[in-house]
Amino acid sequence: MPLLDDDRPNWERDGRDWPHRAASRFVEAAGLRWHVQEFGEPNAPGLLLLHGTGAATHSWRGLAPLLAERGFRVLAPDLPGHGFTDPLPARRLSLPGMAEAVGDLTASLGLTTRLAIGHSAGAALLARMCLDRRITPDLLVAINGALTPFPGFASFLFPGIARMLFLNPVTPKVFAWSADRAAVRRLIDSTGSRLDPQGLDLYRRLFTRAGHVSGALGMMANWDLPALARDLPRLDTRTLLIVGGDDKAIKPEDAFTLRERLPNARVELLRGLGHLAHEEAPGRVADIIRAEADVSQTSST
């Protein structure tokens, strides 16, 4: 049972009051129609923002304008299958396949990425792009980055479950039908974050669309995080690991372990914030990124 167009988020319906709608446009690249948002001056240094699994550009509603004020051209796309961007075909849903697609997007828009910031799975995607030299930023920022596999047997179990759910065409519809406000609040609360009513409503709006749910499951089902983890010691990009102390989705201590395996990385712990730290406290996160970007620019000159 294929998903119908009506199962995908619709810009005129679901995006009618999308955050920073005036910054949105649709572009063609890598065989897809992408929803992107841009902030800042067109000729400013490029900054690429990649959201995590199940999110979209709304995730950056507080942070993106603050980074543009810092003097960057900020590009934030909806990842394939998420939000208002077309899904990738199954054969291209791997981490390298999605990295290639995002690389084609940035190339088509003429973005030279000097600063790359990713949340959760978005950080894994940026790390893969750096390793494959699709981008060569001065600084990579991972906000609660999903850069390592689940520990032990869970590393095999959870991707397998996601693959099984992704291959069942009924699963996204069932999830969408059950995504009422209470269910979405429980899901967000389970990450250790507390969002305002607007943030919860935007996630609920996306989760009620089976196509968006299918896009999230497709990412989880097809990404090989153990392969990325094996390659991370080759990641010579200056890296900042921002960690929410209350993150319940990814253990905060994992970042400190990972730091020892990376050639040029440090950890910034944000106490009192969860997995969606950049949505809970965008000003706090922006200040940390600005300071680290200043250090990177000084060391590269």
Side-chain angles (χ1 to χ4, degrees):
M1 184 190 306
L3 292 173
L4 304 175
D5 288 342
D6 191 52
D7 291 319
R8 300 274 328 143
N10 178 278
W11 182 242
E12 296 308 318
R13 176 192 59 209
D14 303 306
R16 62 193 181 280
D17 57 350
W18 201 249
H20 307 297
R21 184 182 167 102
S24 290
R25 62 187 174 116
F26 289 85
V27 298
E28 303 285 338
L32 306 179
R33 184 174 184 258
W34 300 73
H35 170 240
V36 303
Q37 292 192 326
E38 289 199 58
F39 305 83
E41 296 298 322
N43 296 322
L47 190 161
L48 179 60
L49 286 174
L50 297 186
H51 63 76
T53 306
T57 49
H58 76 282
S59 187
W60 306 115
R61 63 193 178 281
L63 186 59
L66 297 177
L67 296 173
E69 291 173 3
R70 177 60 178 74
F72 287 98
R73 174 195 174 191
V74 178
L75 175 68
D78 286 347
L79 290 177
H82 288 68
F84 305 99
T85 293
D86 289 345
L88 280 169
R91 68 181 185 281
R92 297 171 62 192
L93 272 177
S94 65
L95 183 52
M98 194 169 288
E100 180 181 16
V102 176
D104 288 349
L105 171 67
T106 59
S108 70
L109 295 176
L111 185 81
T112 300
T113 303
R114 304 274 31 107
L115 177 54
I117 303 172
H119 171 245
S120 195
L125 183 49
L126 288 173
R128 185 74 265 167
M129 293 176 72
C130 290
L131 288 164
D132 295 346
R133 294 294 187 258
R134 298 191 183 279
I135 55 173
T136 54
D138 299 322
L139 175 66
L140 168 63
V141 179
I143 303 173
N144 292 318
L147 297 172
T148 55
F150 292 103
F153 181 64
S155 65
F156 303 99
L157 177 64
F158 289 118
I161 291 175
R163 189 170 298 110
M164 179 180 65
L165 295 175
F166 173 67
L167 292 173
N168 184 342
V170 176
T171 300
K173 294 180 181 293
V174 171
F175 186 95
W177 288 334
S178 64
D180 58 18
R181 283 180 172 81
V184 171
R185 179 179 290 278
R186 288 193 298 271
L187 178 62
I188 296 300
D189 286 353
S190 72
T191 71
S193 288
R194 300 293 183 268
L195 297 187
D196 60 20
Q198 182 198 29
L200 291 172
D201 177 70
L202 290 165
Y203 277 105
R204 184 198 61 78
R205 198 179 303 180
L206 293 175
F207 291 162
T208 56
R209 300 299 167 194
H212 178 83
V213 176
S214 180
L217 287 173
M219 280 180 64
M220 291 188 288
N222 289 277
W223 281 20
D224 185 354
L225 284 179
L228 174 65
R230 288 192 295 270
D231 289 343
L232 283 178
R234 296 194 291 105
L235 181 66
D236 54 7
T237 307
R238 180 182 176 88
T239 302
L240 173 64
L241 304 171
I242 296 179
V243 181
D246 292 344
D247 189 353
K248 296 180 181 177
I250 297 173
K251 293 188 298 183
E253 54 266 34
D254 288 353
F256 293 92
T257 302
L258 177 61
R259 178 187 60 188
E260 304 306 315
R261 301 182 58 233
L262 296 176
N264 189 7
R266 78 173 189 88
V267 176
E268 183 79 27
L269 179 65
L270 297 181
R271 300 186 188 280
L273 298 178
H275 191 62
L276 301 171
H278 60 295
E279 296 192 48
E280 294 178 276
R284 191 173 166 189
V285 172
D287 288 343
I288 292 169
I289 293 173
R290 287 169 179 164
E292 196 73 18
D294 287 340
V295 171
S296 293
Q297 290 175 351
T298 300
S299 61
S300 63
T301 58

